[in-house]
Amino acid sequence: LTGVSNHKFLSHANSLFGMGNPLLDICAVVDKDFLDKYSLKPNDQILAEAKHKELFEELVKKFKVEYHAGGATQNSIKIAQWMIQEPHKVGTFFGCIGKDKFGEILKEKAEEVHVDAHYYEQDEEPTGTCAACITGDNRSLVANLAAANCYKKDKHLDLEENWKLVEKAKVYYIAGFFLTVSLESILKVAKHASENNKLFCMNLSAPFICQFFKDNLMQVMPYVDVLFGNETEATAFAKEQDFDTKDIKEIARKAQALPKDNKKRQRVVVITQGKDETIETFPVVKTDPKYIVDTNGAGDAFVGGFLSELVQEKPLDQCVKAAHYAANVIIQRAGCSFPEKPDFK
C-alpha cells in the first residue's frame, strides 16, 4: 500500500447507513402532450396510481429511455461514497427488491460504485421503478414502488448480521419517501442513533410526504439531527404544522425548535432554495446563489455531498460546500450519474 501509509482514513467501512426505496429509474425526454395525458406537473414527485400503469409502457415504447439505478436515499449514499472514494463500502444501503432482471441491475450498479448494498429480496412484487419524465430543465418523477414497498423490519433489519451493520454506522440517512413503507424500521434506526449520540438525518422529500404522511414524519422528528428539504417541501411542511409563515428562514427556525430527544445535539435544518437564492442552514452558513438545486437528481446529490463530509466529522460549512459541489456536478449529467473521480478540496 505505497503512498497510503501516512494517509489516515477519516471514515471506516459501513460508517454511513442509508435505508430506502431502491428503484430503477427509467429516464426519457418527453413532450408536454405526454405530461398532460397523464396530468403530470413538469416538476414533481408522485407515487404511481392505477391511471399511470400505461405511462411506463408508453414511455419505453415511444421515447428513447435510459436506465439508471435510483431511489433517493440510494442515490445520496452512492454520491457520498463517490465523494469519499476510499475506503470502499463506507456507505451501507438497505431496501427491498424483487428477484428479477431489474433487481440484478440494481445489485450490479451498487457494486460498481462500491456501496455495500444488502437488499431484502422477495418474489411477490417486482423491483420498483421510477419514470423520470424530462422536459427542458424540469423532471417529473412517477414512482412505482412495487417491491420497495415490501421492506419488512422483522424479515431484514432485525436479522443479527444486518443489525450489526446498522451498529457500525455513525451517520444515518433516510429520505422521507421511506415513511410510506416502514415507519417501524425508521424508528428502530432513529432511536439507536439518538441513544448512542450518533447523527440521524432525514429529508422531507416531497410535499405529499409533509401532507399525507405527517403523522409518521412527526413520530420520527424528535430523533432528527439534520433535516433536509427544498423550498416547496418546507412551505408544505410549514402549512401542515400551522407555522403560520411562508418565510423560509422562519420555517427553518421553527423546524429547528421542534421537540428533540437527544439534547446533546442541536438540530440543523438545511433548506435548498433553487437557483435564485441562497441556501440557508441553521446555524447559518453562507452559500452561493449560482448553484441550481432542483429535482433533477441534484437534491439527492446535494445530500450525498453533505453526508460525505459529515461522516468525516468536518464542520458544517465544509459539508455545505461539498453538497454544492456534488449537486453542481450532477446537474450537468444524465440521471444521477457522476464522473470517475471528484475534484473537490
Side-chain angles (χ1 to χ4, degrees), residues 25 27-29 66-69 132 134 139 296-297 329-339:
D25 287 347
C27 311
V29 174
E66 281 185 15
Y67 293 95
H68 294 280
I134 301 159
R139 150 174 173 141
N296 64 356
V329 170
I330 298 308
I331 282 165
Q332 299 160 31
R333 301 175 71 86
C336 199
S337 65
F338 34 85

Side-chain angles (χ1 to χ4, degrees), residues 95-321:
C96 182
I97 59 175
K99 295 180 177 172
D100 50 27
K101 174 124 179 352
F102 283 178
E104 288 305 314
I105 294 174
L106 286 183
K107 285 199 273 193
E108 280 162 31
K109 297 277 186 196
E111 213 165 291
E112 272 170 29
V113 294
H114 312 297
V115 165
D116 197 12
H118 293 257
Y119 297 115
Y120 168 48
E121 298 179 44
Q122 48 73 62
D123 43 22
E124 278 161 49
E125 286 282 341
T127 297
T129 49
C130 178
C133 311
I134 301 159
T135 50
D137 283 341
N138 296 318
R139 150 174 173 141
S140 196
L141 304 175
V142 184
N144 179 27
L145 296 184
N149 206 21
C150 301
Y151 190 83
K152 300 279 183 289
K153 174 176 165 290
D154 55 337
K155 295 256 170 62
H156 194 261
L157 186 68
D158 291 344
L159 303 184
E160 194 186 344
E161 67 272 25
N162 292 334
W163 187 251
K164 275 195 174 129
L165 289 169
V166 176
E167 291 178 326
K168 273 181 88 173
K170 52 186 183 184
V171 174
Y172 301 84
Y173 174 64
I174 299 177
F177 291 124
F178 202 59
L179 287 163
T180 75
V181 174
S182 182
L183 176 63
E184 53 174 4
S185 297
I186 300 176
L187 285 170
K188 184 175 182 182
V189 171
K191 285 174 181 169
H192 167 79
S194 187
E195 284 157 14
N196 294 279
N197 195 28
K198 298 176 181 181
L199 281 160
F200 183 81
C201 313
M202 187 136 208
N203 202 319
L204 295 173
S205 293
F208 82 84
I209 297 291
C210 305
Q211 290 157 344
F212 307 118
F213 293 89
K214 66 173 168 191
D215 295 349
N216 289 8
L217 177 61
M218 294 323 282
Q219 279 190 59
V220 181
M221 195 59 76
Y223 307 105
V224 176
D225 295 300
V226 182
L227 180 67
F228 295 98
N230 67 22
E231 207 170 358
T232 323
E233 294 148 12
T235 308
F237 180 69
K239 190 171 175 233
E240 293 300 324
Q241 298 301 318
D242 299 322
F243 280 177
D244 223 13
T245 179
K246 286 185 176 157
D247 178 80
I248 298 293
K249 284 187 188 178
E250 198 47 39
I251 292 171
R253 274 191 205 106
K254 291 194 169 189
Q256 189 189 27
L258 290 166
K260 193 165 184 307
D261 188 68
N262 176 10
K263 304 282 190 283
K264 292 183 193 135
R265 294 181 186 275
Q266 189 189 24
R267 183 179 292 120
V268 174
V269 179
V270 185
I271 298 174
T272 56
Q273 285 186 266
K275 57 183 114 168
D276 308 318
E277 301 183 50
T278 56
I279 294 167
E280 302 290 349
T281 75
F282 294 84
V284 176
V285 178
K286 271 280 170 277
T287 56
D288 193 319
K290 72 172 178 287
Y291 297 97
I292 305 168
V293 178
D294 52 23
T295 52
N296 64 356
D300 297 341
F302 180 93
V303 172
F306 193 99
L307 295 171
S308 72
E309 297 293 293
L310 195 62
V311 83
Q312 299 179 73
E313 297 173 17
K314 299 286 178 63
L316 274 179
D317 58 345
Q318 186 67 4
C319 295
V320 171
K321 224 172 117 182

